């Protein structure tokens, strides 16, 4: 299996059908900045730029929600 396939397999839970409420959200933090945000741990997920586009594509295909607003809870 190629290295990129292994990396993509690691992120496969991100494009499963979303739970209610969804754990993972595509967060548009800026003009050209999109992140995968984990609402359970209240942090962005570190996804390598080399596969981020594909991860976001698969999440959208699975119906993951997207937000321009901060999708997490207040810190502290």
């Amino acid at each position: 299996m190629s290295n990129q396939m292994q990396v993509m397999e690691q992120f496969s839970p991100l494009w499963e059908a979303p739970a209610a409420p969804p754990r993972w959200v595509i967060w548009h933090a800026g003009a050209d900045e999109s992140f995968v945000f984990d609402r359970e741990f209240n942090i962005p997920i570190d996804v390598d730029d080399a596969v981020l586009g594909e991860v976001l594509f698969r999440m959208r295909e699975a119906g993951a929600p997207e937000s321009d607003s901060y999708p997490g809870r207040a810190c502290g």
Side-chain angles (χ1 to χ4, degrees):
M1 186 182 315
S2 74
N3 189 36
Q4 185 169 1
M5 288 297 293
Q6 290 172 333
V7 170
M8 293 303 293
E9 184 66 25
Q10 169 188 344
F11 292 114
S12 65
L14 298 176
W15 51 82
E16 291 176 357
R23 176 176 177 178
W24 294 287
V25 176
I26 299 171
W27 175 32
H28 304 290
D32 292 327
E33 288 188 303
S34 293
F35 299 97
V36 176
F37 193 89
D38 184 336
R39 295 177 66 203
E40 182 176 321
F41 291 108
N42 206 39
I43 57 170
I45 299 289
D46 185 24
V47 179
D48 190 304
D49 288 341
V51 297
L52 180 60
E54 181 66 19
V55 168
L56 295 176
F57 172 79
R58 291 181 185 200
M59 288 179 70
R60 287 182 179 113
E61 289 289 305
E66 301 189 42
S67 177
D68 292 333
S69 302
Y70 178 71
R73 302 176 305 278
C75 297

